[in-house]
Amino acid sequence: MDLHHLVLGASCGKTAIWRPNARSCDAMAVTLAYRKSKHWHEGATRQTPVTVKGDAMPESNRPLDRYRPLGLLVATGVVSVLALAGCAAPGSSAPDSTETPSDVSAELTSDDVVVSMLLESGGAPAVKSLAAEFTKQHPNVTFDIKEDNFQNLTANAAKIIASPDAPDLVRYPNVAEQAKNGTITNLDAYAAAFGWDDWPQSLLGQMRVNDDGTRGAGSLYGMGIGFNVTGVYYNKKLAEQIGMTTPPETLDDFVALLDDAVAAGLTPMSMGNKGWNASFPLQGIQNQLPGVDDLRDWIYQVPDATYETDSAVEAATMLQDWNNKGYFLPDVNAIDYPTMVSTFAEGKAVFILDGDWNNAAYDGAGGTDTFGFFPFPPVTADGSLVAMASPSTYVLPKSAKNAATTAYFLNWVATDPEAREIVVTQAGSNPGGPTDLELPTIDPSSLASLTLPFGTEVSDQGGAMDFIANATAGIWPTTIGPNSQLLLANKMTPDEFVASVQKQYETELGR
């Protein structure tokens, strides 16, 4: 029997603890405990892992040993939605989220300022380089940077953002809930001052929130430090071994190549789901099926939008089938994301569905001499390009003490030549910004030479889809993630998976 730490997100100072000592997910008991420890500033709280005994799930289904503290909820998504979405319940009193700062200037202060940041660990190196370059150009501004992994950020950031001592800038993708709660800064005044409204809006729209809480239009509540795109990377040598001479044009062509890899005794796709990365191929498939506009509406929380669609069931069915056919790494639910990436980089799998944020890792393992890249293929050869593509979203908490300097920094990231080069070379991302600014020179041996043009093309064609994990603050750590493990373990049917996601969505949004 193993000891396992499973702790849910905090809610108003409380930490919900999942005790997996029942024999089924539905029977798992949830308790609340008050545990506080210093995390960001005095007064802020952080979950403290609580060790509980549990044998409810098979080892292969137990998520997040590596990311152990936070974020997991039972399969039916019962509790602690408020913890993940922030402290304001649907319909409860919340600050005025439409208020935007006054007296905004596009000039940088001459005062000494320390900008505090809470970053995602994976993207932290590039942002730290940006901060260092900014201080080099503007010595009066320095940075206090802390970081955490994405799962922990997803679970904790809402509480940290709502803190009176919040950092000035927080990596956080779920702008809708915090905009409704009034805990993040309305950036409309900064957008007007810096000209952000004149930049391409296809990706900025993902960070806009209407008065009714739907995303896609309305006031701006976040900015990206780079804009990411996903697609299929392949190992050229192994692809040649299975007879692939050109990238597949259709989804059926791609499936045929996966079958060829199995027949050749190769691992078709490096995919592990210990960190819930099955949401990548799940959405990669669904993006190509009819009803993609309905999926976008669901992600944007449009009233009456539902995940219970034919395309969602078909995608979940294919995902389960792909694992049963051996397309993914063995014991898929025990493989974490770093292992998944390194397995592909080491030449042990033909394909991987991944994002351009890992270009540097693949460049270090051979670059374009070793690896190629193609969009996740559509159902028909003449199908539109649709890909998971979104800004690496950052928000300014309402209590940020250096909002003006932080906004200036965000504008500088997208417009300064040195900063744009850092975004491209270190983050592997499109720097965004005005269309009349040229992209930095890209080394042709870098995977960025393949992913950046694709990212621009998919954005220009309107095919950029935000991640389903960003539909609500809690949908990924409470339901999509853990239930995808049950799906791949054949302990949940595709229909049950889809229904559970929609149930959690409605619960979280109070619908």
Side-chain angles (χ1 to χ4, degrees):
M1 183 177 294
D2 297 322
L3 299 180
H4 199 56
H5 299 166
L6 298 170
V7 184
L8 304 179
S11 174
C12 304
K14 300 175 181 178
T15 300
I17 306 164
W18 176 34
R19 296 184 181 279
N21 53 1
R23 286 291 171 183
S24 72
C25 290
D26 288 345
M28 291 171 186
V30 177
T31 62
L32 294 176
Y34 292 88
R35 288 174 174 268
K36 295 184 178 181
S37 61
K38 291 182 180 179
H39 176 48
W40 184 263
H41 296 292
E42 289 295 328
T45 60
R46 181 179 183 178
Q47 295 90 332
T48 300
V50 176
T51 302
V52 294
K53 295 181 178 181
D55 57 1
M57 302 174 73
E59 182 62 31
S60 61
N61 286 343
R62 291 182 177 175
L64 296 185
D65 284 330
R66 179 174 179 274
Y67 307 108
R68 61 183 182 180
L70 307 170
L72 184 62
L73 194 58
V74 294
T76 50
V78 178
V79 296
S80 208
V81 172
L82 296 182
L84 295 156
C87 292
S92 64
S93 178
D96 180 5
S97 62
T98 62
E99 182 184 350
T100 186
S102 58
D103 299 328
V104 166
S105 170
E107 300 296 323
L108 180 65
T109 179
S110 59
D111 295 338
D112 290 341
V113 174
V114 179
V115 174
S116 54
M117 295 181 176
L118 177 57
L119 309 178
E120 174 191 354
S121 300
V127 180
K128 289 178 178 177
S129 294
L130 288 166
E133 177 62 28
F134 190 87
T135 298
K136 179 181 175 183
Q137 296 184 21
H138 307 285
N140 63 311
V141 179
T142 55
F143 295 84
D144 177 17
I145 298 175
K146 292 180 172 58
E147 60 185 88
D148 207 340
N149 67 56
F150 187 72
Q151 283 88 344
N152 288 354
L153 275 178
T154 302
N156 287 334
K159 179 176 174 53
I160 295 171
I161 288 169
S163 164
D165 297 311
D168 296 309
L169 190 67
V170 179
R171 169 78 172 100
Y172 189 70
N174 307 106
V175 296
E177 278 82 3
Q178 300 316 312
K180 285 186 289 187
N181 291 343
T183 58
I184 56 177
T185 301
N186 181 322
L187 300 177
D188 284 351
Y190 294 110
F194 290 110
W196 297 343
D197 292 331
D198 297 326
W199 297 2
Q201 297 298 302
S202 58
L203 291 169
L204 286 182
Q206 296 184 18
M207 299 173 288
R208 293 187 180 276
V209 183
N210 267 320
D211 292 341
D212 64 1
T214 59
R215 293 169 55 204
S219 292
L220 186 67
Y221 285 93
M223 280 293 287
I225 295 182
F227 296 85
N228 297 117
V229 69
T230 61
V232 182
Y233 296 78
Y234 65 95
N235 181 299
K236 290 182 174 179
K237 182 178 180 181
L238 297 182
E240 182 180 358
Q241 192 174 328
I242 62 173
M244 175 180 149
T245 55
T246 59
E249 293 186 350
T250 69
L251 184 56
D252 285 345
D253 292 342
F254 185 40
V255 171
L257 289 170
L258 296 173
D259 283 329
D260 291 341
V262 172
L266 302 173
T267 298
M269 182 179 291
S270 186
M271 206 291 284
N273 197 37
K274 186 175 182 179
W276 309 332
N277 299 104
S279 61
F280 280 19
L282 174 70
Q283 188 178 354
I285 295 168
Q286 190 176 356
N287 282 345
Q288 315 311 318
L289 302 177
V292 68
D293 288 338
D294 295 334
L295 179 61
R296 183 181 281 110
D297 285 349
W298 182 80
I299 294 171
Y300 284 174
Q301 301 180 9
V302 172
D304 300 324
T306 180
Y307 192 68
E308 292 187 280
T309 62
D310 291 343
S311 67
V313 174
E314 184 176 352
T317 301
M318 290 183 67
L319 181 75
Q320 190 178 58
D321 187 52
W322 284 17
N323 187 52
N324 290 336
K325 288 182 175 178
Y327 292 173
F328 302 147
L329 291 168
D331 203 7
V332 62
N333 285 333
I335 305 297
D336 62 18
Y337 184 62
T339 302
M340 163 182 148
V341 172
S342 64
T343 296
F344 177 75
E346 292 168 1
K348 298 177 182 177
V350 185
F351 304 104
I352 187 171
L353 175 55
D354 204 359
D356 56 8
W357 53 83
N358 271 323
N359 280 347
Y362 304 137
D363 287 344
T368 54
D369 288 339
T370 302
F371 305 108
F373 175 88
F374 58 83
F376 198 96
V379 172
T380 60
D382 58 353
S384 300
L385 286 176
V386 182
M388 292 169 280
S390 73
S392 182
T393 306
Y394 289 77
V395 299
L396 281 66
K398 208 60 164 296
S399 60
K401 295 176 176 56
N402 301 296
T405 304
T406 306
Y408 186 96
F409 170 76
L410 291 172
N411 184 72
W412 172 88
V413 166
T415 57
D416 180 82
E418 296 295 331
R420 289 167 62 84
E421 183 168 351
I422 290 171
V423 172
V424 169
T425 58
Q426 296 192 29
S429 305
N430 189 312
T435 54
D436 58 350
L437 292 182
E438 293 185 2
L439 284 174
T441 302
I442 304 171
D443 183 345
S445 68
S446 167
L447 270 302
S449 66
L450 305 177
T451 59
L452 283 179
F454 169 62
T456 301
E457 185 178 3
V458 75
S459 177
D460 289 346
Q461 293 188 16
M465 290 284 292
D466 197 0
F467 296 78
I468 58 174
N470 294 338
T472 69
I475 200 72
W476 188 57
T478 65
T479 309
I480 292 177
N483 286 8
S484 71
Q485 295 186 326
L486 298 177
L487 181 70
L488 294 183
N490 296 309
K491 296 182 180 300
M492 177 175 276
T493 69
D495 287 295
E496 290 171 341
F497 172 80
V498 169
S500 72
V501 173
Q502 181 60 19
K503 181 179 180 181
Q504 173 64 19
Y505 181 85
E506 293 176 357
T507 300
E508 196 166 340
L509 297 181
R511 293 181 177 174

